Amino acid sequence: MLDIPSRVRVHVDALIATQHDMRIDMGVCDAIERREAAGKPTAMSAPHLPKVAGIDPTVPPPAHTATPLPGIPAAAPQPGTPLQDRLAGWVSDLTTLHELIGRLARTSTLDGALRELLDAGASLVGARRGMAVIEPADGHGPTATVGLGLAHADLGTIETVPRSATSYGRLLDGLPGAGPLPDPRPSAADRVPLTGSGADGHADARVTAAYTADGHGADAAGGAPTGAPGPVAVPDLLGDEHLDPRQREVAARLGFAASYAVPLRTPEAGRLGAVVWLYDEPAEPDGRHRHLVGLYGQYASEHLARLLELERGRSQIAALTEELLPTRLPRVPGARLAARHTAGGSGGGDWYDALPLPEGALGLAVGSVSGTGPGAVAAMGRLRASLRAYAVMEGEDPVAVLSDLELLLRLTEPARTATALFAYAEPARRRIVLAGAGHVPPLVLGERRTEYVETTLSAPLGMLACWEAPSVDLDVEPGETVLLYTDGLLRRMGGSVDRAFTRLHAAAASVPKADRDDPEAVVDHVLRLVLGGPDDAGDVGEDGAGGAAGYGGGRVAQDADEDVVILAARFD
């Protein structure tokens, strides 16, 4: 016996007696007597083994987990147990489906939605790798290919196989032989008959209706309308002699042995693309998982169709914006120019311009129109065209140019405001006269200084009955570069305005000396540091045209609706 202090020793016999008296008071003894009369052994009459530290080690196991004795049949399950198990399975499936659809609905980009689709589908069908291809049937784009667990080289290797020999390619092309698999829903023999009454029967009917709903008159296997190509399962790529030898060769090289492909389509948009999951060993999803991934594919197709429409609208606005901006920067002796423009997701009104003026002068302008969408883009085009006309007539006086622009804006666009900065530069004298209307100050970058230009404070255009602010004279040294930009660059950096100005100043000051003679290298370096790095930047140089594109990186995606404009002028 262990020596236990008296403060923690428990008198077991007294405790059992007290519990016994409580059961008698509660009227439980009658129920115990009825169970004893039926011949059920009583644990209380069994001898007790020696106690250890005052704890009774003999705890009778629950009746439903006890091992039946030889020769005695096991107890029959309680009525309704199969129905409850099936209902529990369906509720678990629906809960998982609801969580996956919620995660997909939170994606706002086509690339993010495809990656979420691949991840969720891989968990549903039990695969480790996969590939999603977006290729709308109308041919208007955009097209995209995203891999899960596959590098770019692996995707390229898979695409070397003829499309007609791959399951996802046959789905994309609508070729014969890619018909739907047998109905993956539970068969009639597996379903619980709806013969119950009361709460159980009604609950089973409701869950069965939700679990087996096809939606849109679609085939449950893949969410495709009747007659459209359905999912394609190839359970053994290496052992199927009917497959193209090149497909087996690629499968052996990349290490996958089975595939399951599902079409992506909606009744309204038709075919959007296809997604295929790859197994490391011969396998295929069972009927339950095929049904779940089919339901998920229906929701994913609808979500992808909406994102495709948004992407097309953004591409059209970006193309329109680029048509309204300069396609080529002028060549003026004594100055070299470079510009970058990144269109926001909603289509903003940021713009820039550079035009040669009489007597070897150069006009530089940047600005931003309030609002987004096609209306803002159209207003930006009208404002830029008007400023060019005013600059040709009275460019040597930037205040007069902006005053005329403000009057035009109030008369033609009374509901809009705009910011603008116009600079009249004389490269031969390295002298600049500039004026700004509610615009951010330029930044001068040179060997001896990196500083902002002190400009006068002024309200944006369209906010005052009569705009006028004094101009500022700026003398630049040989080799210095003047950066003009819009406030969209600051907003894309995030955080406070002061912090954004500090980061922009630090990025400009850190330009390597070897790159300071090239304005192209200067703007690329600044944007790479403040926005996370160039991906496919839309640029315009002295010798070529530019396009609309974005700068990649995590910070850009945080506020990608903002336009970015930066114009650099280096003076020799």
Side-chain angles (χ1 to χ4, degrees):
M1 294 294 289
L2 297 177
D3 187 13
I4 300 177
S6 59
R7 288 179 295 177
V8 298
R9 184 178 293 117
V10 180
H11 199 292
V12 178
D13 295 335
L15 180 60
I16 295 176
T18 303
Q19 294 177 349
H20 183 69
D21 294 339
M22 292 175 62
R23 292 175 181 174
I24 294 177
D25 295 338
M26 297 174 61
V28 183
C29 287
D30 294 337
I32 296 177
E33 291 177 0
R34 285 195 297 269
R35 294 176 65 184
E36 289 179 352
K40 186 173 182 178
T42 305
M44 295 188 64
S45 61
H48 290 275
L49 295 177
K51 299 181 177 61
V52 178
I55 301 176
D56 188 356
T58 59
V59 179
H64 65 278
T65 59
T67 304
L69 298 176
I72 301 178
Q78 296 294 330
T81 299
L83 175 61
Q84 294 175 0
D85 293 342
R86 188 168 296 275
L87 285 174
W90 288 349
V91 170
S92 176
D93 290 344
L94 291 175
T95 302
T96 301
L97 196 63
H98 176 74
E99 293 176 354
L100 294 178
I101 291 174
R103 289 169 51 183
L104 178 66
R106 289 190 290 270
T107 59
S108 58
T109 62
L110 187 61
D111 183 78
L114 290 176
R115 296 188 184 280
E116 178 61 34
L117 167 62
L118 284 171
D119 289 338
S123 63
L124 290 175
V125 301
R128 189 174 64 88
R129 292 179 288 179
M131 181 176 69
V133 180
I134 290 297
E135 190 177 299
D138 56 11
H140 294 162
T143 60
T145 301
V146 177
L148 172 66
L150 297 172
H152 288 289
D154 298 335
L155 294 176
T157 302
I158 294 176
E159 291 177 349
T160 60
V161 180
R163 282 171 51 125
S164 59
T166 62
S167 55
Y168 75 90
R170 301 184 74 85
L171 292 177
L172 292 174
D173 297 336
L175 297 177
L181 295 174
D183 189 352
R185 290 174 291 177
S187 62
D190 296 333
R191 296 174 185 164
V192 178
L194 301 180
T195 56
S197 59
D200 291 342
H202 292 300
D204 187 32
R206 288 193 299 268
V207 176
T208 303
Y211 186 71
T212 61
D214 293 346
H216 305 295
D219 175 25
T226 304
V232 179
V234 184
D236 190 359
L237 283 168
L238 303 180
D240 193 341
E241 299 180 354
H242 300 286
L243 294 179
D244 191 294
R246 286 166 292 185
Q247 186 178 10
R248 290 200 299 271
E249 178 183 354
V250 169
R253 185 187 309 173
L254 298 182
F256 60 87
S259 66
Y260 182 70
V262 174
L264 299 173
R265 59 179 300 122
T266 63
E268 296 80 10
R271 186 204 70 203
L272 301 176
V275 57
V276 58
W277 290 280
L278 307 174
Y279 297 87
D280 295 339
E281 299 178 354
E284 63 176 319
D286 57 16
R288 168 172 162 264
H289 292 91
R290 289 202 305 269
H291 182 57
L292 285 176
V293 78
L295 292 176
Y296 181 78
Q298 294 179 25
Y299 290 101
S301 299
E302 296 289 345
H303 185 64
L304 289 173
R306 291 190 291 269
L307 292 179
L308 277 173
E309 290 298 323
L310 291 175
E311 191 69 24
R312 288 176 176 178
R314 292 169 179 170
S315 299
Q316 293 172 358
I317 293 177
L320 176 61
T321 303
E322 291 303 314
E323 290 296 325
L324 296 175
L325 293 177
T327 57
R328 189 181 299 273
L329 295 177
R331 290 186 175 183
V332 177
R336 285 187 290 168
L337 305 177
R340 298 291 185 270
H341 172 256
T342 301
S346 301
D350 288 15
W351 54 275
Y352 68 93
D353 202 355
L355 67 158
L357 297 175
E359 301 179 358
L362 177 66
L364 303 173
V366 291
S368 176
V369 177
S370 62
T372 58
V377 174
M380 175 268 291
R382 292 190 293 267
L383 203 65
R384 172 180 169 267
S386 301
L387 185 140
R388 291 178 69 92
Y390 297 145
V392 171
M393 293 186 296
E394 47 191 4
E396 67 279 359
D397 187 358
V399 173
V401 172
L402 294 185
S403 297
D404 294 341
L405 196 64
E406 196 274 340
L407 178 60
L408 176 70
L409 184 66
R410 282 195 293 111
L411 295 178
T412 60
E413 303 281 348
R416 291 190 184 277
T417 61
T419 64
L421 188 145
F422 179 73
Y424 178 82
E426 298 176 280
R429 300 172 56 187
R430 292 188 297 276
R431 179 175 177 270
I432 299 176
V433 181
L434 59 90
H439 206 78
V440 289
L443 182 63
V444 179
L445 167 64
E447 185 177 350
R448 299 180 180 180
R449 62 172 176 172
T450 301
E451 61 186 19
Y452 290 101
V453 179
E454 294 290 340
T455 58
T456 57
L457 297 177
S458 171
L461 301 176
M463 296 189 66
L464 298 178
C466 180
W467 180 90
E468 184 172 349
S471 59
V472 176
D473 293 339
L474 174 64
D475 294 325
V476 296
E477 299 294 333
E480 289 188 332
T481 301
V482 179
L483 296 179
L484 310 180
Y485 54 94
T486 59
D487 52 1
L489 176 63
L490 303 178
R491 287 197 290 267
R492 276 221 187 181
M493 284 188 273
S496 64
V497 176
D498 292 339
R499 182 180 179 185
F501 275 121
T502 302
R503 287 180 55 191
L504 179 59
H505 183 278
S510 64
V511 175
K513 291 184 178 181
D515 295 337
R516 296 197 176 191
D517 292 338
D518 184 6
E520 301 280 348
V522 170
V523 294
D524 285 340
H525 178 86
V526 171
L527 290 176
R528 181 168 56 251
L529 290 186
V530 299
L531 296 183
D535 186 9
D536 291 312
D539 62 287
V540 176
E542 294 180 349
D543 299 323
Y551 267 75
R555 287 187 293 271
V556 176
Q558 294 176 2
D559 198 4
D561 286 339
E562 295 290 343
D563 283 10
V564 171
V565 164
I566 183 170
L567 176 63
R570 183 189 183 277
F571 294 89
D572 297 330

